């Protein structure tokens, strides 16, 4: 499965769990390393970096931006089937 199909499936699952949320795909060419998705729900938000498999390529600065955004609210890198929606705390 390609990463864009994986992301599309993930977005559908998030919207099913949080029907009123807004899911935005970030532009990877704007700031390298910013997580793929921004999920907005009421007064909370989470950023998510999607990897389709365990050994998918890791981009420079991803750890920095995921860490910085996690300090602000919630951010994480998750790989493939390892998604556990109980950890998304919106």
């Amino acid at each position: 499965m390609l990463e864009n199909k994986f992301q599309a499936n993930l977005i559908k699952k998030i919207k099913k769990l949080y029907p009123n949320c807004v899911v935005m795909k970030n532009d990877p060419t704007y700031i390298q390393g910013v997580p793929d998705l921004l999920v907005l729900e009421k007064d909370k938000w989470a950023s998510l970096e999607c990897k389709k498999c365990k050994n998918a390529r890791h981009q420079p600065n991803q750890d920095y931006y995921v860490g910085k955004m996690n300090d602000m609210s919630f951010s994480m890198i998750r790989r493939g089937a390892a998604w556990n929606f109980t950890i998304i705390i919106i």
Side-chain angles (χ1 to χ4, degrees):
M1 176 185 322
L2 296 174
E3 187 166 319
N4 61 351
K5 188 170 182 178
F6 171 71
Q7 278 186 6
N9 290 337
L10 177 61
I11 291 169
K12 286 178 189 175
K13 290 177 183 179
I14 292 170
K15 287 185 173 188
K16 187 174 181 180
L17 285 170
Y18 304 100
N20 296 317
C21 77
V22 174
V23 180
M24 299 169 49
K25 288 182 74 170
N26 292 320
D27 180 355
T29 63
Y30 180 61
I31 300 176
Q32 184 186 48
V34 169
D36 296 325
L37 302 176
L38 180 63
V39 183
L40 308 167
E41 172 72 16
K42 298 180 185 174
D43 63 341
K44 307 234 185 302
W45 62 272
S47 65
L48 306 171
E49 174 61 35
C50 307
K51 299 292 184 190
K52 67 177 180 170
C53 63
K54 182 176 160 181
N55 39 346
R57 197 169 120 190
H58 197 78
Q59 297 295 322
N61 300 326
Q62 282 181 334
D63 292 329
Y64 169 77
Y65 282 109
V66 168
K68 183 173 183 158
M69 291 181 169
N70 193 51
D71 289 343
M72 295 176 192
S73 181
F74 179 80
S75 186
M76 66 184 321
I77 298 175
R78 296 305 292 177
R79 299 176 186 278
W83 281 100
N84 177 349
F85 291 100
T86 60
I87 56 177
I88 300 175
I89 53 170
I90 13 187

